[in-house]
Coordinates of all heavy atoms in Angstrom, one line a residue:
A20 N 87.1 82.7 4.6 CA 87.7 81.5 4.3 C 86.8 80.7 3.5 O 85.6 80.6 3.7 CB 88.1 80.7 5.6
S23 N 84.8 73.7 1.6 CA 83.9 72.9 0.7 C 82.5 72.8 1.3 O 82.4 72.7 2.6 CB 84.6 71.5 0.6 OG 83.7 70.7 -0.3
H31 N 86.1 54.0 -2.4 CA 87.2 53.9 -3.4 C 87.8 52.5 -3.3 O 88.1 52.0 -2.3 CB 88.2 55.0 -3.1 CG 87.6 56.4 -3.1 ND1 87.4 57.1 -4.3 CD2 87.2 57.2 -2.1 CE1 86.9 58.2 -4.1 NE2 86.7 58.4 -2.8
L93 N 82.9 90.3 -6.8 CA 81.5 90.4 -7.3 C 81.4 91.5 -8.2 O 81.7 92.7 -7.9 CB 80.5 90.5 -6.1 CG 80.5 89.4 -5.1 CD1 79.4 89.6 -4.0 CD2 80.3 88.0 -5.8
T95 N 78.5 92.0 -10.4 CA 77.1 92.4 -10.7 C 76.2 91.6 -9.7 O 76.6 90.6 -9.2 CB 76.7 92.2 -12.1 OG1 75.4 92.7 -12.3 CG2 76.6 90.7 -12.5
L153 N 75.3 83.6 -2.7 CA 73.9 83.7 -2.3 C 73.7 83.4 -0.8 O 74.5 82.7 -0.2 CB 73.0 82.8 -3.1 CG 73.4 81.3 -3.2 CD1 72.2 80.5 -3.4 CD2 74.4 81.1 -4.3
K157 N 72.1 81.3 7.8 CA 73.1 82.3 8.4 C 74.4 82.4 7.6 O 75.2 83.2 7.9 CB 73.4 81.8 9.8 CG 72.3 81.9 10.8 CD 72.7 81.5 12.2 CE 71.5 81.6 13.2 NZ 72.0 81.2 14.5
R165 N 78.9 77.1 -14.2 CA 79.4 76.7 -15.6 C 79.3 77.9 -16.5 O 78.3 78.7 -16.4 CB 78.5 75.5 -16.1 CG 78.6 74.3 -15.3 CD 77.8 73.2 -15.9 NE 78.0 71.9 -15.2 CZ 77.1 71.6 -14.2 NH1 76.1 72.3 -13.9 NH2 77.3 70.4 -13.6
T186 N 44.9 64.1 -22.2 CA 43.5 64.6 -22.0 C 43.4 65.3 -20.6 O 44.3 65.2 -19.8 CB 42.6 63.4 -22.0 OG1 42.9 62.5 -20.8 CG2 42.7 62.6 -23.2
E203 N 57.2 67.9 2.7 CA 58.3 68.8 2.9 C 59.6 68.1 2.6 O 59.8 66.9 2.6 CB 58.3 69.2 4.4 CG 57.1 70.0 4.9 CD 57.2 70.4 6.3 OE1 58.2 70.1 6.9 OE2 56.3 71.0 6.8
D208 N 65.8 62.1 4.9 CA 65.0 60.9 4.5 C 65.5 60.2 3.3 O 65.1 59.1 3.0 CB 63.6 61.4 4.1 CG 62.8 61.9 5.4 OD1 63.2 61.6 6.5 OD2 61.8 62.6 5.2
G261 N 80.5 103.9 -9.1 CA 79.7 103.1 -10.0 C 80.5 101.9 -10.6 O 80.2 101.4 -11.7
R291 N 104.0 68.2 -13.6 CA 103.0 67.2 -13.2 C 101.6 67.7 -13.1 O 100.7 67.0 -13.1 CB 103.4 66.6 -11.8 CG 104.7 65.8 -11.8 CD 105.0 65.1 -10.5 NE 106.3 64.5 -10.5 CZ 106.7 63.7 -9.5 NH1 105.9 63.4 -8.5 NH2 107.9 63.2 -9.5

Side-chain angles (χ1 to χ4, degrees):
S23 179
H31 300 281
L93 299 183
T95 186
L153 54 152
K157 295 181 179 180
R165 297 182 178 93
T186 64
E203 295 182 2
D208 291 344
R291 295 188 185 188

